Amino acid sequence: MMGAMTDLIPLNRVHLPADAQANIERARRAGRLASGGHFGQACEAWLERQVGCRRALLTGACTHALEMCALLLELQPGDEVIMPSFTFVSTANAFALHGARPVFVDIRPDTLNIDPARIAEAITARTRAIVVVHYAGVACDMDPILALAERHGIPLIEDNAHGLYGEWRGQPLGSFGALATLSFHETKNIACGEGGALLINDPAFVERAHVLRDKGTNRQKFLAGRVAAYTWVDVGSSYGLPELLAAVLLAALEEGPSIQRSRQRVWQTYRRELAGWCAAHRVDMQHIPEGARPPAHLFCLLLPSAERRAAFIRTLREDAIEAAFHYLPLEGSPMAARLGAQRPTCRVSADVSARLVRLPLYAHMAPDDLTRVVDAVRRIDW
Ligand SMILES: *Cc1c(COP(=O)(O)O)cnc(C)c1O
């Protein structure tokens, strides 16, 4: 066991981009600190190029971008939105907040992504949207999902909080759904503390998305010189990202290739160096389907039981390494019960939630620390 002097290797370590300070200073001197300034526009142009979406709109959080999706679809009480049970709260909350009923469906035990067969079973006359989450940035099985959405005329939304830089058959994640969202929360690959983006692929949503982000006003039209004054034209909120955060975000986006190289090195090392140990200990890695190119967002293992996982986390903790479980299935949550959820039916989600563990993964992880994690895992035996 390592001594008390050993520094803790955390699950995540926030990386402040080198140019953040200089960008903040430039924004301060430009004298515009609200959303929609030079840095905000530069981030949006960068995202449009990277993802290939029609429009990217920065928001204060991925949660806000998901709320904008609910507003754009004009969801009514009683409308149903299909989504995985194994996801972050915001995926469901954003739609529940606007009166829709989340319909939770199960994930696949190999990719940990929503199971297209379960989506098909869950579609009813009230289904207004299908929300997919590319867990760890590993692409969902997009072909059957796109076919289902198309056949039933149901808009597809990608909660792509994990998946900037991820791909499916060479096409960027976030470019498949009518709408998609990104997160720049400090736990994500590219971060500015708190932040997000709405990615719009269906051009029919562009104009209203601006209005929703701008407190329900047509201010965007005014700025473009298309109306003489701006006024209240719809509902909305204040969903923009302040300029100082956009200044930090642009620095992070421009550092993206180096952040990604660094994270990929950690992720690939875990895949390679832990493969033998996993095979010998009945531990599974997340299956990466052919065609999926994940962005090294998180690295997880599926241990044989909840007891093994508890012992695994405890043992690494004694070695000053932080490992962590992840989502509790949403269908078993108190809020889902209040919304009328019946007895949980997503058995794979419950099983995965009880056995999954994440290992430390962040940009610029010291090579010695990476070796320490690999060695500590390989020392665990049963
Ligand atoms: C992080 C995350 C969110 C929320 O992102 P914020 O930017 O913190 O609002 C939503 N969905 C998923 C899958 C996430 O991982």
Side-chain angles (χ1 to χ4, degrees), residues 87-220:
T87 181
F88 187 61
V89 173
S90 295
T91 316
N93 182 70
F95 296 94
L97 186 60
H98 293 282
R101 193 168 77 79
V103 175
F104 298 114
V105 307
D106 217 348
I107 54 172
R108 289 169 45 132
D110 52 358
T111 62
L112 313 183
N113 279 327
I114 195 164
D115 186 337
R118 301 285 90 80
I119 298 176
E121 291 166 2
I123 292 174
T124 73
R126 310 226 55 164
T127 307
R128 292 290 173 270
I130 298 168
V131 185
V132 300
V133 178
H134 307 291
Y135 185 71
V138 175
C140 292
D141 190 1
M142 292 314 291
D143 293 357
I145 293 171
L146 287 165
L148 274 172
E150 174 98 356
R151 172 145 33 94
H152 295 272
I154 300 170
L156 178 70
I157 298 170
E158 297 172 80
D159 177 346
N160 195 29
H162 300 183
L164 182 60
Y165 290 108
E167 290 180 3
W168 171 243
R169 301 207 175 132
Q171 187 181 328
L173 301 183
S175 65
F176 292 92
L179 299 164
T181 63
L182 291 173
S183 174
F184 306 114
H185 185 265
E186 68 175 15
T187 50
K188 305 305 199 293
N189 289 28
I190 302 293
C192 65
E194 301 249 12
L198 175 69
L199 309 178
I200 306 172
N201 294 306
D202 180 343
F205 290 122
V206 172
E207 185 164 325
R208 186 151 184 261
H210 280 287
V211 170
L212 294 175
R213 188 175 63 163
D214 247 345
K215 298 98 175 163
T217 72
N218 57 350
R219 183 167 163 275
Q220 186 67 24

Side-chain angles (χ1 to χ4, degrees), residues 215-235:
K215 298 98 175 163
T217 72
N218 57 350
R219 183 167 163 275
Q220 186 67 24
K221 264 190 175 166
F222 169 68
L223 294 175
R226 288 162 61 202
V227 290
Y230 73 85
T231 185
W232 188 24
V233 296
D234 201 336
V235 296

Side-chain angles (χ1 to χ4, degrees), residues 155-327:
L156 178 70
I157 298 170
E158 297 172 80
D159 177 346
N160 195 29
H162 300 183
L164 182 60
Y165 290 108
E167 290 180 3
W168 171 243
R169 301 207 175 132
Q171 187 181 328
L173 301 183
S175 65
F176 292 92
L179 299 164
T181 63
L182 291 173
S183 174
F184 306 114
H185 185 265
E186 68 175 15
T187 50
K188 305 305 199 293
N189 289 28
I190 302 293
C192 65
E194 301 249 12
L198 175 69
L199 309 178
I200 306 172
N201 294 306
D202 180 343
F205 290 122
V206 172
E207 185 164 325
R208 186 151 184 261
H210 280 287
V211 170
L212 294 175
R213 188 175 63 163
D214 247 345
K215 298 98 175 163
T217 72
N218 57 350
R219 183 167 163 275
Q220 186 67 24
K221 264 190 175 166
F222 169 68
L223 294 175
R226 288 162 61 202
V227 290
Y230 73 85
T231 185
W232 188 24
V233 296
D234 201 336
V235 296
S237 192
S238 185
Y239 285 132
L241 185 74
E243 183 70 349
L244 289 182
L245 287 174
V248 175
L249 181 60
L250 186 66
L253 292 171
E254 286 176 344
E255 242 188 72
S258 113
I259 290 171
Q260 286 304 107
R261 265 197 307 281
S262 173
R263 295 185 73 106
Q264 286 288 1
R265 182 179 58 86
V266 177
W267 191 89
Q268 302 284 359
T269 302
Y270 285 149
R271 290 282 299 186
R272 190 181 62 240
E273 298 298 322
L274 296 179
W277 179 83
C278 285
H281 291 83
R282 288 180 300 116
V283 172
D284 290 323
M285 290 185 185
Q286 185 179 12
H287 173 63
I288 314 296
E290 176 117 19
R293 280 194 62 194
H297 172 55
L298 62 83
F299 184 86
C300 60
L301 296 172
L302 286 168
L303 298 205
S305 67
E307 294 69 35
R308 292 269 189 244
R309 179 180 72 175
F312 181 96
I313 292 174
R314 212 166 40 237
T315 305
L316 289 186
R317 185 78 210 185
E318 287 164 2
D319 283 340
I321 295 165
E322 188 181 27
F325 54 88
H326 211 185
Y327 306 130

